[in-house]
Amino acid sequence: MSAKTADRIATTVIIAISALIVLVLAGLLGYILFRGLPHISFHFLTSGPQTIKAGGGIGPQLFNSLFLLVLTLIITIPLGLGAGIYMSEYARPGKLTDAIRLVVEVLSSFPSIVVGLFGLLVIVNVFGLGFSLFSGALALTVFNLPLMVRITEQAIKGVPREQKEASLALGLSRWKTITSVMLPIAMPAIVTGTILASGRVFGEAAALLFTAGMSSPRLDFTNWNPLSPFSPLNPFRPAETLAVHIWKINSEGLAPDASQIAAGASAVLIIMVLIFNFSARWFGRYLHRRFTATK
């Protein structure tokens, strides 16, 4: 067999496998959206769930998911940026640096159920935070922090060395070089990775079952006091997220339209994840054009 024939066969096999994967993914997304889109309405997105009656919605669960995302990013972004900058610019090669990278890799591959049990034992019980949004945000930080560290480290290492050396040659300090020269160039990749990591918050359920809880108090959206137990802005209240709500409805839903609610909630979840992914690509390209002056 000639080299050209082998290359054509290999290319055909790769294209066929890729097309099969795309078709399976498109079929799965299409099936979920086909079942769920007819049940989505303004009332469905803003009203509360019903236990035994039909006509419930996902308003509190959708708000809890968005609020949990904000809390997770508030914790993850500063830690991830700081650790990524340290690993790329300050950490010296050696056993300690290798151990830190190993820990980061291990944390990124942890099963979500293990993180959930860890959060239940340590965050919920030992630290006494209870089932709350803050506990869930700390558990999700375990997922997102390794990804943020690696994204930041690789983005800063991708900055051309000539620009770094030129900044240092002009007399700028290392920290000023990082903040004024290297971070702006690396920012498109960092922002894109941050948005992609944020999409994992919506789909996570196992870790939140043991940290954020499987129920929510009756929220009063006119009460914006973050210290009130019925305020939606209270980060120390139990909170059932959208992914947990889908699991709960499918496993123990008693409402007559439980299957329709689960289908609509699944479609909303898929739409939110797709929005995050497409917005990450668009925003990353926009920042790249802004910082590099390309068309």
Side-chain angles (χ1 to χ4, degrees), residues 97-266:
T97 303
D98 294 338
I100 294 175
R101 285 198 172 92
L102 178 62
V103 170
V104 171
E105 294 294 334
V106 171
L107 286 177
S108 63
S109 60
F110 261 20
S112 58
I113 190 67
V114 175
V115 177
L117 291 174
F118 170 80
L120 175 65
L121 294 175
V122 177
I123 301 173
V124 176
N125 294 329
V126 175
F127 290 106
L129 294 177
F131 294 104
S132 63
L133 281 164
F134 190 69
S135 299
L138 291 177
L140 291 178
T141 300
V142 177
F143 286 110
N144 288 340
L145 188 57
L147 182 59
M148 279 295 303
V149 172
R150 287 189 296 177
I151 288 172
T152 304
E153 181 183 1
Q154 295 300 322
I156 293 179
K157 285 185 176 180
V159 177
R161 186 179 63 180
E162 292 78 7
Q163 292 183 309
K164 176 183 176 181
E165 293 176 348
S167 176
L168 295 174
L170 291 174
L172 274 69
S173 64
R174 177 183 289 187
W175 179 247
K176 188 65 176 178
T177 299
I178 293 173
T179 56
S180 300
V181 178
M182 302 181 72
L183 273 181
I185 299 174
M187 192 57 66
I190 294 175
V191 172
T192 302
T194 302
I195 298 175
L196 291 176
S198 302
R200 300 178 63 185
V201 176
F202 284 96
E204 187 54 53
L208 298 178
L209 288 173
F210 301 101
T211 53
M214 293 185 289
S215 62
S216 297
R218 182 66 64 178
L219 299 180
D220 182 8
F221 284 90
T222 62
N223 180 9
W224 299 106
N225 179 15
L227 300 179
S228 173
F230 302 103
S231 173
L233 296 182
N234 185 359
F236 298 101
R237 60 174 176 83
E240 181 186 34
T241 60
L242 189 58
V244 175
H245 186 61
I246 295 172
W247 172 85
K248 187 176 180 181
I249 291 176
N250 284 317
S251 60
E252 54 187 51
L254 300 177
D257 58 346
S259 60
Q260 290 84 354
I261 294 174
S266 300

Side-chain angles (χ1 to χ4, degrees), residues 9-122:
I9 294 175
T11 303
T12 303
V13 171
I14 293 173
I15 293 175
I17 294 175
S18 302
L20 179 62
I21 294 174
V22 172
L23 287 175
V24 172
L25 180 60
L28 178 62
L29 294 178
Y31 176 74
I32 294 174
L33 294 176
F34 177 77
R35 291 185 65 242
L37 286 178
H39 306 291
I40 298 177
S41 62
F42 181 78
H43 174 77
F44 180 76
L45 295 176
T46 56
S47 62
Q50 297 291 339
T51 304
I52 59 176
K53 296 191 301 182
I58 58 171
Q61 287 75 21
L62 185 58
F63 177 83
N64 290 338
S65 297
L66 295 172
F67 192 22
L68 181 64
L69 171 63
V70 174
L71 290 177
T72 305
L73 293 181
I74 290 175
I75 301 172
T76 304
I77 290 178
L79 295 177
L81 284 176
I85 292 172
Y86 169 79
M87 294 297 295
S88 62
E89 294 298 317
Y90 291 97
R92 297 180 179 178
K95 293 183 178 180
L96 178 60
T97 303
D98 294 338
I100 294 175
R101 285 198 172 92
L102 178 62
V103 170
V104 171
E105 294 294 334
V106 171
L107 286 177
S108 63
S109 60
F110 261 20
S112 58
I113 190 67
V114 175
V115 177
L117 291 174
F118 170 80
L120 175 65
L121 294 175
V122 177

